[in-house]
Amino acid sequence: MNREASELFRSIRYLLFPRRCAFCGKVIAPQTLYCADCAEHLPRICPPICYNCGRALTDCRCKKHRNRFVSAFAAPFYYEGAVRESIHRLKFHHETDNGEVLGAEMGAFAREVFPEVHIDFVTHVPMTAGERRERGFNQSELLAKSAAHTLQLPHKAVLTKIYETERQRTLSQRRRSGNMLGVFTVTDETQVCGKRILLCDDLCTTGATLSECAKMLMIYGAREVLCLTAAVGFPKPGEKG
């Protein structure tokens, strides 16, 4: 379905089923993305940011601990309040319009914080076929495609997940890196070699998944990998880098 047909279908759908705010669920006008109340109170991350942890410099606790596979990381929101609920409804209640809205916010934020960076294309963290069947879609892919559209960049699926793993959210921080070790690979080296790639996911907690994906992209010859998620956790009281 081309873009024009997709927009027409969406307009018809909103006549039958009113558009709702991606964050609080309130009915809103079809041409808007979210309601005025949410627009004012969303937990936005305000630049300048730390490119290592993605948080605002005033909130950074990472002490510039850099991931050697990721040249920069950013997210438009902290994983709190309405943003947390929006991501949860996207992933577990199939509210896929939320992915379009969050992805657009991701793309706009990337344009703001990476203004001088020439990105060749956008990609996403993959799922196995079984994981995709279980959920019905890949939320990271929805976000990446929306971000790519906002940035006017191509989206390419260049990573694949070889086998299923335990859910990251069920594991301790110590076990998350090992859980992701060796589960991703690149589908076509020629698409990756020499390219500067923007890698998207829904959420960054420990960064283990993004790091493993970025590692494989670099092994297969990527020039640089930047990471972008919809949200990142706010530093906990007493947290240290």
Side-chain angles (χ1 to χ4, degrees):
M1 184 182 296
N2 61 36
R3 193 77 189 178
E4 291 76 15
S6 179
E7 292 294 339
L8 176 61
F9 175 78
R10 185 180 289 110
S11 297
I12 295 171
R13 179 160 62 93
Y14 289 146
L15 287 175
L16 301 173
F17 305 99
R19 183 161 195 163
R20 294 183 177 273
C21 173
F23 297 101
C24 71
K26 187 185 301 180
V27 173
I28 56 175
Q31 67 273 17
T32 57
L33 298 179
Y34 38 81
C35 70
D37 286 342
C38 285
E40 185 176 353
H41 297 107
L42 291 174
R44 292 187 180 275
I45 295 175
C46 298
I49 66 168
C50 170
Y51 288 108
N52 300 300
C53 69
R55 295 161 174 162
L57 285 181
T58 52
D59 300 321
C60 174
R61 301 290 185 275
C62 76
K63 302 186 185 300
K64 299 182 179 180
H65 289 173
R66 185 175 179 274
N67 185 309
R68 61 190 175 122
F69 305 114
V70 177
S71 61
F73 168 67
F77 300 113
Y78 286 118
Y79 188 56
E80 297 187 325
V83 170
R84 180 195 294 266
E85 291 302 312
S86 181
I87 293 174
H88 189 273
R89 294 201 313 274
L90 165 64
K91 294 172 70 172
F92 305 114
H93 297 283
H94 286 222
E95 294 188 21
T96 53
D97 281 356
N98 291 7
E100 184 176 336
V101 174
L102 289 165
E105 290 286 333
M106 290 164 64
F109 194 68
R111 183 183 293 126
E112 181 179 2
V113 297
F114 303 141
E116 306 299 325
V117 180
H118 170 76
I119 296 168
D120 291 292
F121 65 87
V122 180
T123 194
H124 62 274
V125 172
M127 288 178 163
T128 64
E131 289 169 341
R132 190 183 184 103
R133 280 195 303 272
E134 182 181 347
R135 179 158 292 169
F137 62 95
N138 181 345
Q139 74 278 356
S140 299
E141 183 177 4
L142 292 179
L143 294 167
K145 286 182 174 179
S146 180
H149 176 72
T150 299
L151 291 166
Q152 298 183 310
L153 290 171
H155 167 267
K156 298 181 182 182
V158 296
L159 287 161
T160 187
K161 190 174 181 183
I162 304 168
Y163 56 85
E164 295 183 13
T165 56
E166 294 182 72
R167 302 295 174 123
Q168 288 289 83
R169 67 178 183 273
T170 68
L171 301 177
S172 66
Q173 182 172 343
R174 179 177 298 178
R175 291 186 60 199
R176 290 188 181 192
S177 293
N179 190 48
M180 289 290 109
L181 190 63
V183 304
F184 301 108
T185 192
V186 169
T187 57
D188 184 352
E189 183 177 350
T190 63
Q191 296 275 347
V192 168
C193 191
K195 303 300 183 182
R196 183 177 283 117
I197 302 168
L198 183 63
L199 171 64
C200 294
D201 201 3
D202 57 336
L203 175 65
C204 180
T205 48
T206 64
T209 302
L210 289 167
S211 179
E212 190 65 19
C213 286
K215 181 179 78 173
M216 296 312 300
L217 292 170
M218 294 298 290
I219 286 173
Y220 279 86
R223 177 181 176 186
E224 190 175 14
V225 179
L226 298 90
C227 289
L228 178 68
T229 64
V232 64
F234 191 81
K236 299 175 183 178
E239 180 180 330
K240 297 180 180 181

